[in-house]
Amino acid sequence: MIKNESPDLKIAQKATLRHIEEIAKKLNLTNGEIEQYGKYKAKIPLSYIDEDKIKKSNMILVTAITPTPAGEGKTTVSVGLTDGLNSIGKKAMAVLREPSLGPVFGIKGGATGGGYSQLIPMEDINLHFNGDFAAIEKANNLLSALINNNIYGRSRNLGIDPRTVKWRWAMDMNDRSLRNIVTGLGGKQGGFLQESGFNITAASEIMAILCLAKDLSDLKERMGNIYIGDTFTGEAIYAKDLNAHGAMAALLKDAIKPNLVQTLEGNPAIIHGGPFANIAQGTNSLIGTKIGLSLANYVVTEAGFGADLGAEKFFNIKCRAGGISPKAVVLVATVRALKYHGGVKKDELEAPNVEAVEEGLGNLEKHIENIKSFGIPVVVAINKFVSDTEAEMECIVKRCKSHAVEVALSDGWANGGKGMEDLATKVVTATEQCEGAFTPTYKLEDSFKDKIQSIAERVYGANKIVYSVSAESMLKRAEKLGYGHFPVCIAKTQSSFSDDAAYYGRPTNFTLHVREVEIAAGAGFIIPITGKMLRMPGLPAIPAAENIDIDDQGNITGLF
């Protein structure tokens, strides 16, 4: 979310909200073909996936440089670019992730774009939306309850060794006190004492499965393949051994359907799924993307955090799973973020400093190199802030041109689609220049260590990898269970190419520390967890929740 001083967008939202039937008609959908959730939201049936149309459509991935406290405005650019493409006469729609309540109430605030490049109804999207996260949370915790019940019971006990159970509870809220807990207190009636903990819902394997599933049948099969732990004799136990997958899938029967909303300019947008890119795969659902490509000629989608996380996983995990490939990548950068990577403190970013921008451009250059390694055309978008100077922006333009990369000003925050027409035009040209599908970073037949090394060295810039004893053991366990062909989904800080958030800019010659490894057999990947990365965030000293309020008429404030 961009923290600029905002015009009165509450008035703009109420004035431009169109009935969801009107938005559906733009996609040639009728009222009877969508499931309305009130006047301004709806769900789209999976039957609209058209594989032939998907092959002809143009997918555009929006990613960014390494994020900073200043904020880069990736979602603002994604929404603005969608409006810009429509403004130049293209049939385009956005397909993005759903916001998590953790960041909404934590440090980030709302996640629907900003200024005149927003998704609406903003309050509904940011708060609960259509209940998808709640359904994911319940499916996750149903499995937790069934695991504990089997360990406690005697008649159908599978002999699960509680010490091997890695499955954790889930909650869509930031709370550091729930990272590690003990369950089973209360004597015999409370079950067996067991170490456990919570992940934020966005990091749950259920979220990952929902976002990679092809349909309801595939969803249920993936649920059954969730690896729980082992028996006392060393046999692997899966969710299907507990007969859990049917009920879990039933809880997700509506959540699997993508949500239809709109931009401020009345253009269609699909919002579906919400895994974080630092602790999960970081992109919206595959189903949502495919429906978007089936209904529009241009689909603007995004991957979370910097390109080293979201974009890498978008290509190597999501595109592989879905047999899809973008035809252009938009790399978002800001003058303020580059100054931060150049060593300027957060409270000094408003002051002009061309030298700091020059110093921070190493970060942008590394991300450009990474995107080029996938073989897809890249366009840099300079997301404009009111404090930017012409000299600072020109500095970025010159560096991009030296790498033969197109660059355009992104001014959607202030001017909506009109402020994005130059970027939209250059992106269309980039899609026309795309010569084929992407080139992956590694081969699926590579060993896990080779896959991790390929990402660490080629994408992050590391020169050494160190594994803990626990991580080594779990890698061997994953290979023994027959998962050696899985891709890897590395959990790493979003604030640096390295696993140390303090190393901003473009760090080199560093060591990547793999602390532990989790097996996500249902999702179809393994998760090497690096550095001090945690899968349940904590709240900041002053949570964004303290600024959110509602008046007697039901008007919500404080979500910007």
Side-chain angles (χ1 to χ4, degrees), residues 71-99:
E72 285 61 62
K74 192 163 63 260
T75 302
T76 301
V77 173
S78 297
V79 176
L81 177 57
T82 302
D83 288 334
L85 286 165
N86 281 284
S87 184
I88 64 171
K90 305 299 181 182
K91 186 179 181 181
M93 72 183 304
V95 182
L96 308 173
R97 292 176 298 163
E98 300 177 46

Side-chain angles (χ1 to χ4, degrees), residues 202-435:
S204 165
E205 187 177 351
I206 307 300
M207 176 67 80
I209 289 172
L210 180 83
C211 289
L212 289 172
K214 297 178 177 66
D215 50 36
L216 193 55
S217 176
D218 185 40
L219 177 82
K220 185 164 71 172
E221 182 179 352
R222 287 173 177 269
M223 294 287 184
N225 291 336
I226 292 172
Y227 172 65
I228 293 169
D230 303 325
T231 65
F232 284 102
T233 58
E235 298 297 317
I237 296 293
Y238 301 91
K240 58 190 173 187
D241 297 323
L242 294 170
N243 298 318
H245 53 308
M248 293 167 68
L251 283 169
L252 299 171
K253 68 180 182 66
D254 292 319
I256 195 173
K257 302 171 187 175
N259 307 289
L260 178 65
V261 291
Q262 61 189 286
T263 71
L264 272 175
E265 296 187 6
N267 293 309
I270 286 175
I271 312 295
H272 196 219
F276 294 162
N278 54 351
I279 50 182
Q281 76 265 36
T283 67
N284 64 272
S285 74
L286 179 59
I287 288 172
T289 299
K290 287 198 166 187
I291 287 182
L293 290 168
S294 300
L295 298 175
N297 297 328
Y298 291 84
V299 163
V300 179
T301 190
E302 70 177 35
F305 293 120
D308 57 317
L309 289 168
E312 181 272 309
K313 295 169 184 179
F314 181 89
F315 284 109
N316 290 315
I317 297 177
K318 178 175 180 174
C319 289
R320 267 181 162 144
I324 56 177
S325 182
K327 293 185 179 178
V329 177
V330 174
L331 179 60
V332 180
T334 67
V335 168
R336 300 196 312 175
L338 291 172
K339 284 191 280 193
Y340 185 87
H341 284 296
V344 176
K345 295 179 181 178
K346 182 181 177 181
D347 58 0
E348 298 175 359
L349 294 175
E350 300 286 325
N353 193 329
V354 175
E355 292 75 16
V357 173
E358 287 273 6
E359 184 67 25
L361 280 170
N363 186 273
L364 174 63
E365 288 177 314
K366 176 57 177 167
H367 285 294
I368 290 173
E369 291 172 15
N370 287 342
I371 295 169
K372 283 187 171 182
S373 73
F374 293 108
I376 302 298
V378 57
V379 178
V380 171
I382 304 174
N383 196 20
K384 186 180 178 182
F385 282 72
V386 293
S387 61
D388 298 346
T389 66
E390 291 296 328
E392 290 170 326
M393 290 187 285
E394 184 59 26
C395 175
I396 302 171
V397 171
K398 286 182 179 179
R399 188 66 63 91
C400 290
K401 288 184 176 180
S402 72
H403 291 277
V405 171
E406 282 287 357
V407 58
L409 187 66
S410 171
D411 199 17
W413 185 90
N415 294 301
K418 288 294 181 182
M420 303 294 285
E421 289 183 354
D422 182 42
L423 176 62
T425 300
K426 289 178 177 177
V427 167
V428 169
T429 300
T431 64
E432 294 168 348
Q433 295 171 344
C434 184
E435 297 179 349

